[in-house]
Amino acid sequence: MALARPSVSRRGILIGALAGGGLAVGYLLRPHRFPLPLEPGRDEYAFGAWIKIAADGVVSVAVPQVEMGQGVTTLLPQIVAQELGADWRQVAVEPAPVSALYANTVLAAKWAPLWMPFASDLAGAPEGMIARRWAEDHRFNVTADGTSVAAYEGPARAAAASARALLVQAAAARWNVAPEACDVAAGLVTHGEKRLNFGPLAREAAGFSPPDPPPLRPEPMAEKPGEFVPGAPLRYPRLDLPSKVDGSWTFAGDVRLPDMLRAAIRHAPLGKASVSGYDGNAGKGLRGFARFVQGPDWVAALAQDWWTAETALTRAAPRFRVARGSDSGEIDTALDEAMAHGSPTRIHLAGDKAAVEGAMPVQIRYEVAPGLHASIETACATARYNGGRLELWIGTQAPEAARSAAAEALGIHTGDIVLYPMPIGGSFDRRLECAHAAQVAVLAKEAGRPVQLTVSRRQEHFATFPRTPAVAVMAARPDPEGRPMAWRARIAAPATAREFGRRFFSGDAPFDALDAVAEADDRMAVEGAIPAYAVPNLAVDHIPAAIGLPTARMRGNAHGYTAFFNESFVDELAHRAGREPLSFRMAMLGHDPRLAECLQRAASLAQWGGGGDNSGQGLACHVIGEARIAVVAGARRDENGVRVDKLSAVADIGRIVNLDVARQQIEGGLVFGLGVALGCSASYAGGRPDGERLSDLALPTLADCPAIEVEFIDSTADPADPGEIGVAAVAPAVANALYSATGLRFRRLPLFAEDM
């Protein structure tokens, strides 16, 4: 699954830099020219890599990030439309092919420790040349970590500003007026009473030379929280909404090709496993059955329809030889051993080192079980192999990694693979893994016909690498008023981010990656563990734990458990001191007025009553990058278990590009976080999770969803991602609310894992 390597390796770059810099400088400064990724069609004219304008005035915007519900096919076109002055009713979207012109340099810089683990600081700046050149060379168009706006707003605005200037030049030449005397708005170029649609000007405009630098509008795209009263029409409604409502939006499972076979699959348990056998005659007598295909650790059946293929596999009863499986008991033991005897690596230290050493008056243990993804759409891909070339229709967050996985499986070059990017029905970072790209490629080659592989829900869960389990011991030394003068977080967890990096960037097999980083420290595995509060003496330690279970990324990633540790702990400190939880937090936020305002506004929105007297209210807040959120949960326990009645959230995500999309993302994150709090986990035995269906994960149904209120702080800070910040604070808010309602502390996720 490794990304294709450039002709100059990163090791060579570093050696050249150490030897005097000649090789590195030559590599970085060599000219780069890339072909235009989107060819204009009939009566269309391209304006760089981002925009095409047709003779009828329709503006097509390239979107190099996969749409998986986060609204990127609205956000980037909206940025272009505002800068260009286009009519939103004439804006269309075109999924962009893999291209160096769409390199996600922001994510490349953020993930530099994963692809350049030594001296990663050299590549840690998104605007730096090392990250940019690496991202271009690897056609790094990955969608992850909410980086779409940060990575692409600048290039998209510049392209739109250049196109606007060219349209103005074309109109001004027609009217024999100065370009400065023309204006552009609502899809029209105007001068006094004269006006022209973009369409008639596109051909002439494409012949002019673009200005350098592009003449950007004074203000970037922004929507204010108070602009839209409830029920008011949206200025930029989602472009994908109508087709999703009427069912015409095409996902990977909707692809249909002539003479196409369907495939079902059985995966080996998570472990070092291989196929030991199956009944090869099981498909006989099944109408439409074609054949079985065996992979290194999977068996697939091909048939005219998926149900026949699935039935054949059930009858074939594939068997697997597992040399090293994963068991929950062993996982728990490994985490306990790491916490008791492991060697911690200090990830962060502030203040006096001596103040955070040794035993402290308050020490509390928290635990998090492995978390399973529960995306709406299971893995699905279609492939057609002919004459040494592969066509691949797939929903993936990492298109070049998918091409590389398929190419490696077939023994061909990535240049011989054409990937058609498809939207995804939910992902939560599950589609960063590309095993199904390799599998469907092999199936298409073996069949000699197009093949569509659809993974069942049961097999999706069996093949999923879960979010890592973790154990934390939180320690504090309070002052006489109960505020922590010293705070130490020790978190035992595998080096999950480095493990993912080995699979993703180096192509390691899952257990090879696991073994390679077994003793490694991992800053990303404890991201978010630095509390938002002003604590004079603070330490965060990571203790690597070899748990024997491959782990992966998930929505919220480490913030999904570090926020639970921090906000549960600070709530316990407040109650131990006899302090009201809101004022206790506010007293430590003088350095962060943005988060303090979120807390105050959330308390007002929820009519916060102090969290005492069995009110059933709980409070939590968290920071991810420049995004901030405060959540108040109203929860109770009844005969059916935990009932969360209300979630009130206030977020500061900086400048908001699209208020409606931001609200959807925060609301979706809150519901996802509720799923993490109450379920979404599994126990493992022999490498198999015990959850086979969505119903086994105790996810909240529509009937379980609480009333949700979301408000935003009006901010001029740079835009921050709303997609993950909502996830982090829900679990601790619910746990704190349950303490208020019942007097019981829940220190393990999911919360129902403890006796209630």
Side-chain angles (χ1 to χ4, degrees):
M1 196 192 308
L3 292 175
R5 285 178 170 81
S7 56
V8 180
S9 70
R10 59 178 177 267
R11 182 173 181 271
I13 295 171
L14 292 177
I15 292 173
L18 294 173
L23 175 58
V25 172
Y27 164 74
L28 293 173
L29 296 183
R30 77 182 194 273
H32 272 199
R33 294 180 179 87
F34 307 109
L36 193 67
L38 292 179
E39 289 293 333
R42 183 177 179 181
D43 294 329
E44 276 190 329
Y45 303 93
F47 293 83
W50 288 90
I51 300 169
K52 295 190 296 185
I53 301 178
D56 59 2
V58 172
V59 177
S60 296
V61 180
V63 176
Q65 300 274 274
V66 64
E67 175 61 71
M68 50 189 182
Q70 83 279 38
V72 71
T73 50
T74 294
L75 294 175
L76 293 182
Q78 179 181 347
I79 289 166
V80 168
Q82 187 265 350
E83 186 66 49
L84 181 60
D87 184 344
W88 188 240
R89 295 169 300 180
Q90 289 192 289
V91 174
V93 177
E94 185 164 347
V98 177
S99 171
L101 291 170
Y102 305 122
N104 188 339
T105 57
V106 172
L107 187 62
K110 185 174 181 179
W111 284 5
L114 305 183
W115 55 265
M116 190 169 134
F118 303 103
S120 60
D121 289 346
L122 296 175
E127 66 278 3
M129 196 171 289
I130 292 178
R132 178 171 63 83
R133 279 297 167 90
W134 181 89
E136 289 174 346
D137 282 347
H138 291 82
R139 295 175 291 279
F140 189 69
N141 301 167
V142 174
T143 307
D145 275 1
T147 54
S148 295
V149 171
Y152 297 112
E153 182 180 39
R157 282 191 71 197
S162 294
R164 172 168 43 82
L166 296 176
L167 291 167
V168 166
Q169 288 184 53
R174 280 196 183 193
W175 296 329
N176 197 25
V177 299
E180 294 79 10
C182 299
D183 195 15
V184 183
L188 299 170
V189 182
T190 60
H191 173 70
E193 297 297 320
K194 299 175 182 177
R195 59 187 58 206
L196 280 171
N197 183 279
F198 289 175
L201 294 171
R203 181 177 181 179
E204 299 163 45
F208 287 94
S209 297
D212 187 18
L216 296 174
R217 294 186 187 274
E219 299 295 332
M221 181 67 231
E223 292 186 345
K224 302 292 184 182
E227 279 188 298
F228 302 96
V229 298
L234 302 175
R235 191 177 300 131
Y236 294 96
R238 285 186 67 145
L239 293 177
D240 58 342
L241 188 59
S243 58
K244 285 183 175 178
V245 170
D246 66 22
S248 60
W249 186 264
T250 303
F251 293 92
D254 298 318
V255 173
R256 297 292 181 266
L257 300 177
D259 201 30
M260 184 174 77
L261 292 173
R262 269 69 167 189
I265 196 167
R266 292 288 188 276
H267 295 102
L270 291 181
K272 287 190 173 180
S274 59
V275 179
S276 62
Y278 63 93
D279 182 359
N281 297 316
K284 291 182 178 179
L286 286 175
R287 184 176 180 181
F289 173 77
R291 59 174 297 188
F292 291 109
V293 178
Q294 178 180 326
D297 55 0
W298 52 266
V299 177
L302 303 178
Q304 294 295 330
D305 61 88
W306 185 86
W307 186 251
T308 299
E310 178 69 12
T311 302
L313 271 180
T314 301
R315 294 183 179 182
R319 302 177 301 281
F320 301 96
R321 183 180 299 106
V322 183
R324 178 178 169 186
S326 304
D327 290 278
S328 288
E330 296 174 0
I331 293 169
D332 292 342
T333 299
L335 290 170
D336 289 343
E337 285 291 319
M339 183 60 71
H341 306 295
S343 301
T345 297
R346 184 132 292 169
I347 300 298
H348 177 81
L349 176 66
D352 183 4
K353 178 181 178 181
V356 295
E357 297 299 333
M360 293 194 186
V362 182
Q363 294 196 162
I364 302 175
R365 176 185 168 112
Y366 300 92
E367 301 175 1
V368 175
L372 283 182
H373 300 82
S375 56
I376 296 173
E377 181 187 20
T378 61
C380 183
T382 302
R384 178 164 55 194
Y385 183 79
N386 185 29
R389 295 179 64 84
L390 182 79
E391 293 177 280
L392 182 62
W393 290 259
I394 189 170
T396 174
Q397 294 176 247
E400 188 65 5
R403 292 176 75 214
S404 296
E408 183 176 350
L410 297 180
I412 63 176
H413 192 271
T414 54
D416 293 323
I417 296 179
V418 177
L419 185 145
Y420 303 101
M422 308 298 295
I424 307 174
S427 180
F428 317 133
D429 282 356
R430 175 71 178 95
R431 302 298 170 229
L432 285 167
E433 309 282 351
C434 303
H436 60 306
Q439 290 163 349
V440 76
V442 170
L443 293 175
K445 183 178 181 180
E446 290 290 324
R449 295 165 59 180
V451 172
Q452 182 174 92
L453 169 65
T454 303
V455 179
S456 68
R457 176 65 59 183
R458 183 172 186 261
Q459 288 299 308
E460 175 86 344
H461 287 178
F462 283 3
T464 291
F465 302 144
R467 184 206 57 200
T468 183
V471 170
V473 172
M474 310 294 292
R477 182 172 288 110
D479 67 8
E481 295 185 359
R483 289 175 299 192
M485 290 295 98
W487 172 305
R488 183 182 67 227
R490 282 191 172 166
I491 301 174
T496 180
R498 291 190 180 276
E499 177 194 336
F500 161 76
R502 295 285 304 194
R503 291 196 306 268
F504 188 82
F505 293 107
S506 301
D508 285 8
F511 274 81
D512 292 338
L514 201 64
D515 293 339
V517 300
E519 303 298 324
D521 62 277
D522 190 347
R523 183 176 299 271
M524 293 173 71
V526 295
E527 231 178 359
I530 301 172
Y533 308 105
V535 179
N537 307 292
L538 173 67
V540 175
D541 296 339
H542 173 230
I543 308 173
I547 65 172
L549 174 72
T551 59
R553 296 170 55 82
M554 190 175 184
R555 187 175 185 179
N557 291 298
H559 295 276
Y561 49 85
T562 56
F564 175 68
F565 301 153
N566 287 345
E567 286 301 294
S568 297
F569 186 55
V570 78
D571 210 71
E572 295 208 46
L573 291 176
H575 283 283
R576 281 171 177 259
R579 299 283 301 277
E580 188 271 322
L582 174 62
S583 61
F584 187 77
R585 287 171 167 84
M586 292 293 293
M588 297 185 288
L589 286 176
H591 66 292
D592 195 340
R594 293 174 63 192
L595 184 57
E597 185 178 359
C598 288
L599 272 168
Q600 289 179 317
R601 288 267 300 272
S604 176
L605 183 65
Q607 298 182 332
W608 170 254
D613 300 325
N614 301 111
S615 68
Q617 285 188 314
L619 184 70
C621 59
H622 194 62
V623 176
I624 299 180
E626 290 301 312
R628 289 157 171 79
I629 196 168
V631 176
V632 177
R636 58 187 169 87
R637 189 180 66 177
D638 61 20
E639 64 277 5
N640 297 317
V642 173
R643 170 70 63 179
V644 179
D645 296 315
K646 187 177 181 181
L647 293 173
S648 303
V650 175
D652 182 342
I653 57 170
R655 171 171 55 86
I656 300 172
V657 173
N658 186 299
L659 185 64
D660 189 51
V661 170
R663 186 180 304 280
Q664 293 168 18
Q665 287 299 290
I666 295 292
E667 290 174 348
L670 293 174
V671 175
F672 188 93
L674 187 61
V676 170
L678 304 180
C680 210
S681 73
S683 296
Y684 285 84
R688 293 293 199 191
D690 57 4
E692 296 185 3
R693 302 175 181 272
L694 286 178
S695 57
D696 296 329
L697 299 184
L699 299 171
T701 65
L702 189 59
D704 300 321
C705 285
I708 295 177
E709 302 174 295
V710 176
E711 289 187 358
F712 293 94
I713 304 293
D714 189 1
S715 176
T716 57
D718 289 339
D721 173 51
E724 302 199 348
I725 188 68
V727 175
V730 177
V734 172
N736 295 337
L738 288 173
Y739 173 76
S740 172
T742 67
L744 300 175
R745 280 289 177 189
F746 298 91
R747 299 182 177 129
R748 180 177 174 85
L749 287 182
L751 300 177
F752 70 68
E754 298 181 79
D755 181 16
M756 299 193 298

